[in-house]
Amino acid sequence: MTFSSLLEFCAGQLPGKTQEAARKEFAKRVGGSRLALRRPGGPIQQSGIQIVIGVATYSEPELALLDQLDASLHGGTDGKARVEVFNVLACAQMDDFQKFIPGINSVYRTPVVAVMADGKLVGQATGLADVKETLARFGILRD
């Protein structure tokens, strides 16, 4: 099952119902992938690379990014990084992003990515194109 399939249209179902179902099923879908679910206040690794990505579960392009990321991790990250994801709908206000990514700048568009190295925030981006570029730069997202 792919992340994008969370938004598959069901005949007779309103888009809002599909989006709500996607929100509810997101954690389960993460559990069946090579990604890990990021929880608010979750630990920051003090050694190695940790990638945290927030996506909007109502956005097909953002869910497709997770599909691409999951596929690119097929061979693993060679121990380079732990990749965690969360649903930005868990952030009711701007400060809530700090619970998932301590030290991140304000987020005005999604998705959002943060790269931590040895417990320190060393990279961040928002918006689909910039997030993809950041993941590629750190060798996490491959074509």
Side-chain angles (χ1 to χ4, degrees):
M1 300 282 279
T2 63
F3 285 97
S4 337
S5 69
L6 287 170
L7 291 177
E8 285 180 354
F9 176 74
C10 295
Q13 186 167 307
L14 296 173
K17 292 280 188 191
T18 301
Q19 292 170 354
E20 179 63 17
R23 183 190 65 76
K24 289 179 178 177
E25 287 293 314
F26 181 72
K28 185 176 178 182
R29 194 65 48 94
V30 172
S33 74
R34 294 169 189 90
L35 310 173
L37 187 63
R38 178 77 178 158
R39 304 256 182 221
I44 301 297
Q45 291 181 181
Q46 295 306 302
S47 65
I49 302 289
Q50 182 178 7
I51 309 289
V52 179
I53 303 167
V55 298
T57 55
Y58 55 80
S59 170
E60 194 281 327
E62 294 181 31
L63 294 176
L65 170 65
L66 294 185
D67 290 333
Q68 186 181 3
L69 183 59
D70 189 37
S72 78
L73 294 174
H74 178 68
T77 60
D78 301 326
K80 293 181 198 171
R82 173 174 171 81
V83 181
E84 298 178 326
V85 297
F86 69 95
N87 183 355
V88 298
L89 294 178
C91 299
Q93 52 194 346
M94 194 63 65
D95 290 347
D96 291 341
F97 282 95
Q98 293 288 330
K99 296 174 186 173
F100 290 93
I101 308 169
I104 193 162
N105 293 335
S106 295
V107 175
Y108 295 106
R109 56 189 180 151
T110 62
V112 58
V113 66
V115 180
M116 273 81 76
D118 299 329
K120 294 185 172 85
L121 184 64
V122 296
Q124 61 185 24
T126 62
L128 193 57
D130 291 340
V131 165
K132 284 183 173 182
E133 187 276 325
T134 299
L135 291 169
R137 188 175 70 235
F138 283 92
I140 301 302
L141 188 63
R142 300 174 199 86
D143 292 327

